[in-house]
Amino acid sequence: MNIVILAAGMGKRMHSDLPKVLHPVAGRPMLAHVIDTARTLSPSRLVVVVGHGAERVREAVAADDVTFAEQAQQLGTGHAVMQALPQLDDNQPTLVLYGDVPLTTAATLKALVEAAGNTRFGVLTVEMPDPTGYGRIVRDAAGSIVRIVEQKDASEAIRAIREINTGIIVCPTGHLRRWLSTLGNDNAQGEYYLTDTVERAATEGIDIVSAQPAALWETLGVNSKVQLAEVERIHQRNLAQRLLEAGVTLADPARIDVRGELTCGRDVSIDIGCVFEGRVHLGDGVQIGANCVIRNSSIDAGAQVQPFCHIDSAKIGADGRIGPYARLRPGTELGEDVHIGNFVEVKNSQVAAHSKANHLAYVGDATVGARVNIGAGTITCNYDGANKFRTVIEDDVFIGSDTQLVAPVTVRRGATIGAGTTLTKEAPADKLTLSRAKQMTLDAWQRPVKKPKQ
Ligand code: UD1
Ligand code: MG
């Protein structure tokens, strides 16, 4: 099958410099969703018709199996398909999709394509309570489709028809080529209408069949930010529904956003307000507290993430305790039962099993052993303004509060670092190391007092 995706339109009503089909749904351009769905039909040709912002659109969705056709001027849907014709294989039917209709399911497209086969014309139609703006499906007395009439060209009687053209059609490619070559633009919009091919087919005695989507939202198009937001919510509701059906507990399916691929083990629960981006995996029994943002990360079985954590490109081991208010940055790898508490930031660091940094710390470019305790206020000074250096903390170390580890520096196995230390040299194993100004008391000192106002 050939698939042509129309994506040349400007999207004036988006009031945006970004080409319309690149506006994201669930974090990805809506056109990318259409291309993904198209791929599930294994097309032999996949052509995207670009026009407005052509360069940006090409760049955004470039792939080996996608080719582009340029429509310099937007002269109508028929004209748009014409631009793709040189790339189409006449021996297979052509399916036309819209780049701004992102939620159509593969199952619906398959049903349409199957109904049409290799010889019939297929139109995806729906009955709308208010069909204003859409092309109307005109049927004869026997119920066969004979033409499609655009809203602006329609008489009162035709406007009363509630069955509309979703825009998605499939038809034999040789015929399509012929019909398009004779298309005119003598209509209310002065455009070359793809929909006019339906009347040609009917006149030539080609069977015209219709199929309907499983749900009305599948054919919603995006022309404005209002519609974009509606489509986003519908898509998110569908994703949440799938998670629920797979056994994930969601505190509120209306308050989760998945912008990528979220996979979950058994008995996972997710509180409200969480955002998942990229690929995220949550192992068995993982609990995610409210208002966490988790991107490209994996969280192993039994781990608990408390509210308000930001986790990016990190691995959390089994039974970890993270947050509240923890930030795990790229390259963080936490072993089993690691605790990262409030206002602790970890970056590009490995922390081995049973280690803890419970309060107000920065662990960057560090290798931390097992059973280490990192006291409140501890920071790795990993950056000299130009270079980054590593800190190594071996197993069973205890770092007292408010310690600065000036990298590169190593703390040997079992060492204890006294509170307030600025560590610039290696701390030997099993000993107490500290740097501290001597404490003193000035007996003669008196606290200044304000003079009473006269
Ligand atoms: C079209 C259909 C109408 C249908 C409606 C469904 C025609 C003539 N009409 O109308 O029957 O009910 O869709 O939403 O086909 N595009 C291009 N190049 C162009 C014109 C359009 O790439 O020259 C793209 C647009 O970017 C858009 C799609 O084709 O993705 C549809 O175009 P649009 O102008 O929205 O069509 P409608 O007038 O809504
Ligand atoms: Mg139009």
Side-chain angles (χ1 to χ4, degrees), residues 136-254:
R136 306 298 204 282
I137 304 292
V138 182
R139 293 176 184 266
D140 65 14
S144 302
I145 296 177
V146 289
R147 65 204 152 96
I148 295 176
V149 181
E150 293 305 300
Q151 165 88 21
K152 288 186 178 152
D153 302 296
S155 63
E156 277 308 309
I158 284 181
R159 285 185 185 186
I161 298 172
R162 289 190 302 126
E163 187 184 13
I164 62 100
N165 169 32
T166 63
I168 295 174
I169 61 143
V170 59
C171 67
T173 305
H175 289 319
L176 179 66
R177 201 180 286 282
R178 203 160 37 75
W179 296 326
L180 288 177
S181 71
T182 63
L183 222 54
N185 65 350
D186 182 16
N187 52 51
Q189 301 184 80
E191 287 183 6
Y192 296 90
Y193 290 164
L194 178 61
T195 42
D196 282 352
T197 58
V198 170
E199 190 167 10
R200 309 287 170 99
T203 312
E204 292 180 16
I206 308 265
D207 265 351
I208 304 171
V209 297
S210 64
Q212 280 71 42
L216 207 80
W217 49 257
E218 287 191 48
T219 61
L220 290 179
V222 174
N223 297 298
S224 66
K225 288 288 172 76
V226 172
Q227 289 169 336
L228 182 66
E230 280 166 10
V231 160
E232 178 76 33
R233 281 353 294 165
I234 290 166
H235 183 60
Q236 291 299 340
R237 188 195 65 200
N238 293 342
L239 294 175
Q241 189 72 20
R242 264 184 249 162
L243 290 170
L244 291 169
E245 281 163 8
V248 177
T249 299
L250 300 179
D252 181 354

Side-chain angles (χ1 to χ4, degrees), residues 368-375 392-400 403 405 409-419 421 423 425-434:
V368 179
R371 297 170 304 278
V372 168
N373 196 314
I374 295 177
V392 176
I393 301 171
E394 295 184 348
D395 293 347
D396 299 299
V397 161
F398 183 97
I399 310 258
T403 292
L405 300 150
V409 73
T410 298
V411 183
R412 292 293 177 203
R413 186 175 297 265
T416 298
I417 307 297
T421 295
L423 193 75
K425 294 187 295 253
E426 178 170 317
D430 299 318
K431 297 211 159 67
L432 172 65
T433 297
L434 74 168

Side-chain angles (χ1 to χ4, degrees), residues 230-390:
E230 280 166 10
V231 160
E232 178 76 33
R233 281 353 294 165
I234 290 166
H235 183 60
Q236 291 299 340
R237 188 195 65 200
N238 293 342
L239 294 175
Q241 189 72 20
R242 264 184 249 162
L243 290 170
L244 291 169
E245 281 163 8
V248 177
T249 299
L250 300 179
D252 181 354
R255 284 184 288 172
I256 173 172
D257 282 78
V258 181
R259 302 174 192 150
E261 195 186 327
L262 172 62
T263 56
C264 296
R266 292 176 77 79
D267 297 306
V268 165
S269 78
I270 300 170
D271 209 332
I272 58 162
C274 293
V275 178
F276 297 89
E277 298 177 339
R279 276 167 183 267
V280 175
H281 177 72
L282 307 179
D284 292 349
V286 165
Q287 295 179 13
I288 308 293
N291 301 307
C292 291
V293 176
I294 303 179
R295 175 189 304 142
N296 291 324
S297 294
S298 68
I299 302 182
D300 288 348
Q304 287 182 22
V305 178
Q306 312 277 356
F308 299 102
C309 288
H310 192 277
I311 299 173
D312 183 2
S313 307
K315 288 184 180 154
I316 297 173
D319 299 320
R321 294 284 175 278
I322 311 299
Y325 298 101
R327 179 172 185 207
L328 305 184
R329 290 170 54 199
T332 295
E333 290 179 27
L334 309 181
E336 187 189 333
D337 181 40
V338 166
H339 294 200
I340 301 294
N342 40 234
F343 306 106
V344 174
E345 174 180 346
V346 184
K347 184 213 78 169
N348 189 29
S349 295
Q350 295 80 45
V351 182
H354 313 296
S355 288
K356 295 175 182 153
N358 275 326
H359 337 265
L360 301 154
Y362 174 57
V363 179
D365 300 308
T367 305
V368 179
R371 297 170 304 278
V372 168
N373 196 314
I374 295 177
T378 295
I379 57 171
T380 53
C381 310
N382 59 326
Y383 186 49
D384 64 7
N387 308 291
K388 303 254 168 77
F389 299 99
R390 284 199 81 79

